[in-house]
Amino acid sequence: MAIDTDKIVHAVMHGSRIREEKGIIPLFGVYLSMISVQYYNGISFGFEKATGNDGFAENLLVEAGQECGYATFQGVRSSWEWEEVVKPMIEDIEDQIHCFVSIAIAFGWGDLTVQELVPGKKLVIRATDLYEAKGYLDVYGKADSGKCYMVRGVTGALMDLVYGDDYPEGCFQYTAVETSCVAKGDPYCEFIAQRTTS
Amino acid sequence: MTIDWPEKFARKGHELFLSGLPIALHCHHYNMNLQKTLETSLGSEGVLLLYTAAEESSHAGFTSFLEHHPKIVTAKSKLELASTSYQYCGLGIINFTKIGPEGGIVTSPHSHHVTGWLAKFGKRQNVGCFFTGGWVAGVLAAIYNKHIGYFSVDELECKMSLSKECVFEVKIA
Ligand SMILES: [Zn+2]
Ligand SMILES: [Zn+2]
């Protein structure tokens, strides 16, 4: 059975309209918020500028993306929404990655596509329209390195979840790099996750 | 006047918009992790960064929101709209009944940041709603036609450190 992306997007859109009386959105086992991308870019790139662009902020921001992608999608695949909407579409373990990517798109993270997946070894994700790249270009102009820290971390997390040790031991067993980025003037952003080598 | 929220919340292809400005859904893991990373790495400078980013984005967001709703003219209805948008975005409940153009008190009995922080990291020793403080400053500046930085917002009590609710004092900076 093929993965019905629309069905997943619909579940997210429908679920994200549910508000409990406290104004909190509990969905897929996490609490969701809708915040302007300007906020996220403001703190990420403000943090990077404040620490002198020496890679310190970059590493922490990628780590934050990876840890959170790991926890979020673990919450997602343990939720009843996943059980009901997504699980019936999954035939093999690789399908999970495609479902996670559909959810990431539904969250407004960008036009992510799985370019290549070598089970256990390598995941390549591409996107042309990510808010981090766009936000960086708008405020600071052309970058000399990739700027999509959140999606880069998430790419590693997807491999951790599917091919790493059982949760919560598998985080950071894969590492992603951003090999091209719209913020640098490239036509698309590309992320490659492979086994972490220490 | 009632606002049709689902209509304001639009999906164009892979992008999400609220009244014309791009937004993203993120979960408490990411939001709290970012806050902790900035606080741990930069201390008070990190706190200021969180506050300022929230202030700038809520000012831009709410200004755009009001432009899309030209029939909302009184400060009272704008404040009401602000608190329903806060709730709609899953940020929590915010109470503007003791606020005027000179400032005042804002309270929040529930919020994404408090629920998320307590779930992820547990109780804090100090106040921690820097996002909400900045968000309030930006929205009030938009409502009263002021520039960013016109209001300063201090959190006096915080549910993250187990107060009954979060209490913010708003002053002219
Ligand atoms: Zn990029
Ligand atoms: Zn608080």
Side-chain angles (χ1 to χ4, degrees):
Chain A
M1 185 183 191
I3 304 299
D4 184 348
T5 308
D6 286 349
K7 213 168 168 180
I8 296 176
V9 171
H10 181 80
V12 171
M13 295 307 283
H14 181 75
S16 65
R17 285 186 188 151
I18 297 166
R19 300 291 173 281
E20 51 164 49
E21 55 182 21
K22 295 175 182 170
I24 309 279
I25 310 172
L27 183 71
F28 283 127
V30 297
Y31 304 112
L32 287 181
S33 65
M34 297 178 195
I35 299 179
S36 151
V37 302
Q38 187 189 347
Y39 169 73
Y40 291 109
N41 287 332
I43 54 177
S44 294
F45 301 131
F47 179 35
E48 188 173 54
K49 300 288 163 194
T51 49
N53 286 322
D54 59 356
F56 172 78
E58 174 180 343
N59 288 338
L60 287 175
L61 290 166
V62 172
E63 248 174 54
Q66 185 149 355
E67 204 186 313
C68 298
Y70 189 69
T72 302
F73 287 116
Q74 173 62 20
V76 163
R77 71 175 173 189
S78 315
S79 67
W80 67 265
E81 291 95 335
W82 175 273
E83 197 68 32
E84 212 157 86
V85 179
V86 184
K87 218 169 169 191
M89 299 186 238
I90 290 185
E91 275 176 0
D92 51 44
I93 187 167
E94 283 67 44
D95 282 346
Q96 276 197 43
I97 297 222
H98 293 279
C99 292
F100 290 148
V101 166
S102 303
I103 290 168
I105 296 168
F107 281 176
W109 294 357
D111 54 339
L112 281 66
T113 55
V114 176
Q115 200 65 27
E116 192 189 345
L117 175 57
V118 184
K121 290 206 166 73
K122 185 180 175 191
L123 170 65
V124 183
I125 284 191
R126 260 191 212 174
T128 60
D129 196 13
L130 297 178
Y131 71 76
E132 287 174 300
K134 215 156 52 179
Y136 191 92
L137 270 177
D138 282 352
V139 177
Y140 302 105
K142 211 163 153 184
D144 48 20
S145 58
K147 291 293 161 194
C148 303
Y149 304 139
M150 191 268 297
V151 175
R152 187 174 137 198
V154 167
T155 304
L158 298 183
M159 290 298 275
D160 287 339
L161 281 161
V162 177
Y163 303 109
D165 290 349
D166 285 350
Y167 188 90
E169 305 300 330
C171 198
F172 302 118
Q173 292 186 329
Y174 287 81
T175 303
V177 289
E178 188 174 11
T179 50
S180 72
C181 182
V182 170
K184 292 194 291 180
D186 297 323
Y188 49 79
C189 298
E190 184 174 82
F191 308 88
I192 303 178
Q194 287 172 301
R195 271 266 174 206
T196 304
T197 47
S198 47
Chain B
M1 142 159 216
T2 51
I3 302 284
D4 182 0
W5 286 99
E7 188 197 301
K8 298 298 147 217
F9 177 42
R11 169 174 290 279
K12 282 186 213 144
H14 58 272
E15 283 188 288
L16 299 178
F17 292 90
L18 192 57
S19 277
L21 292 178
I23 56 162
L25 285 156
H26 273 294
C27 70
H28 71 287
H29 293 291
Y30 190 58
N31 291 330
M32 302 315 129
N33 204 328
L34 284 178
Q35 172 165 343
K36 193 161 199 186
T37 299
L38 264 74
E39 277 193 88
T40 309
S41 309
L42 296 176
S44 58
E45 195 188 343
V47 166
L48 187 63
L49 210 61
L50 292 161
Y51 176 98
T52 310
E55 182 182 22
E56 288 172 357
S57 63
S58 80
H59 187 270
F62 207 66
T63 301
S64 160
F65 214 114
L66 292 174
E67 281 164 6
H68 283 77
H69 296 92
K71 285 183 181 156
I72 298 183
V73 285
T74 66
K76 189 173 175 271
S77 50
K78 288 177 185 176
L79 290 167
E80 213 177 286
L81 182 64
S83 69
T84 54
S85 93
Y86 194 77
Q87 186 170 1
Y88 184 78
C89 290
L91 297 172
I93 303 292
I94 200 140
N95 187 337
F96 284 122
T97 50
K98 293 177 194 156
I99 273 293
E102 311 286 311
I105 294 288
V106 173
T107 55
S108 169
H110 305 286
S111 75
H112 169 83
H113 282 77
V114 165
T115 304
W117 187 277
L118 292 176
K120 197 163 170 66
F121 300 124
K123 182 193 163 192
R124 281 174 70 106
Q125 299 302 323
N126 54 351
V127 299
C129 297
F130 314 119
F131 170 86
T132 305
W135 185 91
V136 166
V139 153
L140 292 179
I143 289 174
Y144 293 111
N145 259 319
K146 303 295 182 192
H147 55 85
I148 288 171
Y150 180 83
F151 291 109
S152 72
V153 178
D154 278 309
E155 190 174 19
L156 305 178
E157 283 176 53
C158 183
K159 256 185 118 171
M160 288 183 191
S161 48
L162 305 188
S163 291
K164 209 174 107 257
E165 57 181 3
C166 297
V167 179
F168 301 88
E169 184 181 31
V170 183
K171 288 187 197 158
I172 296 171

